[in-house]
Amino acid sequence: MAWLTFADADATALTRRLAAPQLADTLELSLTHDRGQAWIGAKLELSADGSTWHTLFDSSRRPGDNFKFTFPPQRVAAILGAPDCIRLAR
């Protein structure tokens, strides 16, 4: 597994972009919110072109849970809903 490097991020829109679309099949997210919270909501979307999005995850988790998603290999140019604590791999 090789972790991909993000080229830039838009903190306001929670978007992370790769320099060019790359093949990916794993996304890992570590949420570091206060464990005193009962739950947190998260929605993650992937895009092969930066304009058309499809949802990978839209639900809630307990704070401190780590998310690891594996999905069929696909080209990814950007991730929407992605804070700084996210990694993408192929």
Side-chain angles (χ1 to χ4, degrees):
M1 179 182 317
W3 295 109
L4 305 176
T5 303
F6 292 105
D8 66 10
D10 179 344
T12 305
L14 289 178
T15 303
R16 306 289 306 265
R17 298 184 185 281
L18 300 167
Q22 296 187 47
L23 197 60
D25 64 4
T26 303
L27 184 141
E28 188 174 271
L29 174 64
S30 297
L31 298 173
T32 57
H33 299 336
D34 179 7
R35 285 196 179 266
Q37 292 176 267
W39 61 276
I40 53 175
K43 182 174 183 177
L44 300 170
E45 298 181 79
L46 302 178
S47 175
D49 60 10
S51 60
T52 303
W53 301 91
H54 70 272
T55 302
L56 178 64
F57 179 82
D58 185 6
S59 191
S60 60
R61 292 283 182 126
R62 295 176 309 185
D65 281 354
N66 290 331
F67 298 77
K68 184 172 183 179
F69 301 96
T70 54
F71 46 89
Q74 59 189 280
R75 296 189 65 72
V76 177
I79 304 171
L80 180 62
D84 290 338
C85 53
I86 197 163
R87 300 191 309 171
L88 187 65
R90 58 182 155 143

